[in-house]
Amino acid sequence: MAFIYGRNDIPVKPVKNSQIAVLILAAGSGTRMESDLPKVLHPICGRPMLFHALRVASALKPAAIGIVIGHQADLVKKAAGGMFKDCAISKPPQFIVQKKLLGSGNAVLESLPFLKKFKSVVVLCADTPLISYESLYSLIQNHQAHNNLATLLSAKLLNPKGYGRVIRSPLGEVLKIVEETVATPKEAAVSEINSGSYIFEVSALIEGLKEIGAKGEKKEHFLTDILEILRSKGGRIAAHLTPNAEEALGVNTRVQLAAAERVMNRRILERLMLSGVTIKDPGSTHIDCDVDIARDAVIEPFVMISGKSKIGKKTRIGAFSKLSNVEIGPECEIEMSRLDSCRILEKSEIGPFSHIRPDSVVGPKARVGNFSEVKASRIGMGSKVSHLSYIGDADIGEEVNVGAGTITCNFDGKKKNQTVIETGAFVGSNVNLVAPVKVGRYARVAAGSTITENVPAKALAIARERQINKI
Ligand code: UD1
Ligand code: CA
């Protein structure tokens, strides 16, 4: 008896994930991306598409995860290996190498030795990064509640171009999926599409896969053909229609990559706003998926925050700032600046037009101001580097004032050398500190000096030509 779409009189059984494996198809060559990088490694909101697939797979808490690799298999395998920890995957997934890229049906066929141990398998495409846990959960529930052999996640799209179409009988029963390349004009006009996510009974896969024939120019085995095959044997197949059509977006081209990026970014911004972050102009704000922002932070227009970044409570990120892999404490003010792999501690002020480079720690209550660059340096509590300075490989203590235009000359042509400026020191404007060099506690350095020797604590160093006034 075939399953009639929409029937809901069968009691829902709990998802028995202990018998379910997840198989992620990631072997395809991604020709339409026109890229040297394997398609599944193209990032969306800071993480490769494969990462998003692994994360949703892991959320289902399946008995095991398999990843089918093929095109640039070694590269994909290595990259995947680095993702498990952040996807909360404890048991390493199994890699299945698809020797010849003969289509999605062949990819699953090659995985049967792995799948045999399980009752059911959720098949995901690594190029469908927007699929949500909720949709997969309902898909599994629907499948189990109706004892289907195969259930696919479908969506209705205004523009179904490029996707497999779900063909139903007048009664609404799923008859088959027809790929666009082989669809008749009438079939191509159908707006319900196959998202590429499915759940199968493994026994049905074993039976059905044998019968899939080669199709199209590339003589590929379409996994989607299995639905018609199972149905012809009297098996129950169905489609679970997601109400959230954008989830089905598949990425085959850079145009679709950009569309997926836009959707995921919008989701991230909405999550942040609902958790108490003000985002003044979501349309011009780009925030990656691993960014954590605390309540009452304010993000102004044209801000980009990427990598693993953390922004503290009540901190304001001013317009046109670009931040990557930063940790910014509470109540900081970042004005139109570039910050990379650095830490800014509470109540510090940065910018406008500052560049804080990797391995720098600024603050608390410190200030790096207009047109100043800081690299691999510590700027201690309450210290100020307010104007036009370069601070590289320096350790600056507390309550230090660095005058406008001061430069740490850290590079001697061969190696980088350290500058130490101890607590309470006052460095006048336009000073060159030729490293390695140390300015002691509460010492002062006269404006315009070029300091090549250590300055003892509390001393006044003057290292410049005396002024001569000729009349
Ligand atoms: C596929 C579906 C289509 C669906 C669409 C959703 C088939 C035949 N078609 O089309 O019905 O609407 O996804 O986005 O499945 N892959 C392998 N080995 C291969 C070929 C592909 O692992 O030999 C993987 C790819 O890496 C990809 C997935 O299978 O993750 C789908 O392949 P792709 O070529 O992108 O299929 P579509 O044409 O998008
Ligand atoms: Ca695809």
Side-chain angles (χ1 to χ4, degrees):
M1 190 189 77
F3 164 58
I4 295 179
Y5 178 70
R7 197 173 133 188
N8 57 5
D9 55 341
I10 297 169
V12 174
K13 286 188 278 177
V15 175
K16 286 191 202 143
N17 295 5
S18 61
Q19 299 171 344
I20 301 180
V22 175
L23 186 69
I24 299 173
L25 306 186
S29 54
T31 318
R32 291 163 279 181
M33 293 294 280
E34 299 289 350
S35 176
D36 292 342
L37 186 70
K39 175 166 74 172
V40 298
L41 297 186
H42 277 261
I44 294 182
C45 290
R47 292 285 199 173
M49 281 196 268
L50 180 58
F51 178 91
H52 296 296
L54 277 169
R55 189 144 69 177
V56 78
S58 153
L60 291 171
K61 300 207 183 328
I65 298 174
I67 308 172
V68 187
I69 51 175
H71 177 67
Q72 297 195 52
D74 292 342
L75 191 60
V76 176
K77 187 175 179 179
K78 189 158 177 266
M83 298 172 190
F84 303 153
K85 193 167 150 265
D86 285 349
C87 291
I89 294 175
S90 47
K91 191 176 154 205
Q94 170 119 9
F95 290 98
I96 296 120
V97 181
Q98 187 187 4
K99 287 167 230 69
K100 284 190 183 161
L101 303 182
L102 294 174
S104 51
N106 177 259
V108 180
L109 185 71
E110 296 270 3
S111 312
L112 283 182
F114 161 70
L115 294 176
K116 273 196 309 224
K117 292 166 265 179
F118 307 99
K119 183 176 173 295
S120 320
V121 57
V122 171
V123 176
L124 303 176
C125 293
D127 66 352
T128 316
L130 300 171
I131 293 286
S132 70
Y133 168 80
E134 289 76 13
S135 290
L136 292 178
Y137 183 84
S138 331
L139 171 75
I140 297 169
Q141 288 233 318
N142 186 331
H143 175 83
Q144 293 185 334
H146 299 98
N147 287 320
N148 297 333
L149 293 185
T151 314
L152 72 112
L153 189 69
S154 71
K156 282 196 173 161
L157 300 188
L158 285 175
N159 179 10
K161 198 172 172 340
Y163 295 89
R165 310 295 205 278
V166 179
I167 308 301
R168 292 176 182 270
S169 74
L171 279 176
E173 300 161 323
V174 174
L175 302 177
K176 58 180 174 177
I177 297 173
V178 176
E179 292 305 309
E180 185 167 274
T181 44
V182 292
T184 63
K186 199 174 158 219
E187 287 167 340
V190 169
S191 64
E192 187 178 2
I193 60 100
N194 166 30
S195 73
S197 303
Y198 326 73
I199 176 165
F200 296 101
E201 291 309 291
V202 174
S203 53
L205 269 185
I206 294 170
E207 280 307 301
L209 283 171
K210 286 191 261 180
E211 294 183 29
I212 295 181
K215 267 194 185 162
E217 268 175 36
K218 295 186 203 154
K219 297 271 172 271
E220 282 186 316
H221 293 73
F222 295 160
L223 175 62
T224 43
D225 282 351
I226 198 170
L227 293 163
E228 192 179 10
I229 294 169
L230 295 178
R231 193 186 135 81
S232 71
K233 292 166 175 276
R236 293 153 77 99
I237 59 160
H240 178 72
L241 181 69
T242 169
N244 190 6
E246 69 186 14
E247 284 191 22
L249 181 76
V251 176
N252 293 328
T253 65
R254 309 267 184 159
V255 176
Q256 288 167 325
L257 183 75
E261 179 96 29
R262 196 166 53 237
V263 173
M264 193 173 289
N265 185 48
R266 197 201 67 225
R267 285 183 186 173
I268 293 166
L269 299 182
E270 284 175 1
R271 171 173 57 76
L272 290 169
M273 288 187 277
L274 291 171
S275 69
V277 177
T278 293
I279 296 176
K280 294 233 176 220
D281 179 21
S284 69
T285 306
H286 197 283
I287 298 183
D288 273 358
C289 63
D290 292 312
V291 176
D292 186 16
I293 309 185
R295 268 163 73 105
D296 291 324
V298 176
I299 313 295
E300 292 187 354
F302 297 98
V303 164
M304 186 166 182
I305 310 176
S306 59
K308 281 192 188 178
S309 293
K310 257 184 147 170
I311 313 283
K313 257 182 133 171
K314 297 186 188 170
T315 279
R316 187 177 61 84
I317 310 296
F320 299 100
S321 293
K322 187 172 184 216
L323 280 46
S324 31
N325 297 304
V326 296
E327 194 181 323
I328 300 181
E331 295 179 55
C332 292
E333 298 275 329
I334 313 294
E335 194 71 69
M336 228 179 271
S337 289
R338 168 82 177 107
L339 279 66
D340 183 10
S341 306
C342 59
R343 288 172 67 208
I344 311 296
L345 308 184
E346 64 181 60
K347 296 186 179 162
S348 295
E349 292 171 34
I350 309 290
F353 308 108
S354 299
H355 186 184
I356 315 289
R357 293 170 51 199
D359 304 319
S360 299
V361 181
V362 177
K365 294 184 188 168
R367 166 159 176 70
V368 175
N370 313 258
F371 305 101
S372 291
E373 175 180 345
V374 175
K375 193 262 315 187
S377 297
R378 175 181 82 97
I379 296 179
M381 181 166 73
S383 292
K384 294 184 174 66
V385 182
S386 294
H387 323 272
L388 300 151
S389 285
Y390 170 65
I391 305 295
D393 304 296
D395 186 76
I396 299 182
E398 292 162 18
E399 304 295 342
V400 167
N401 186 81
V402 175
T406 290
I407 304 292
T408 53
C409 310
N410 60 330
F411 188 47
D412 59 14
K414 284 194 184 110
K415 61 179 190 315
K416 301 288 168 66
N417 300 294
Q418 200 195 26
T419 301
V420 176
I421 309 176
E422 292 187 338
T423 291
F426 184 97
V427 178
S429 294
N430 204 26
V431 167
N432 300 311
L433 296 157
V434 182
V437 75
K438 178 168 145 185
V439 177
R441 290 168 72 87
Y442 299 99
R444 286 167 298 154
V445 178
S449 294
T450 293
I451 301 296
T452 52
E453 285 163 37
N454 291 347
V455 182
K458 296 187 183 167
L460 166 64
I462 309 176
R464 64 181 188 222
E465 286 282 307
R466 180 172 277 281
Q467 180 175 336
I468 303 168
N469 292 330
K470 292 186 179 172
I471 297 163

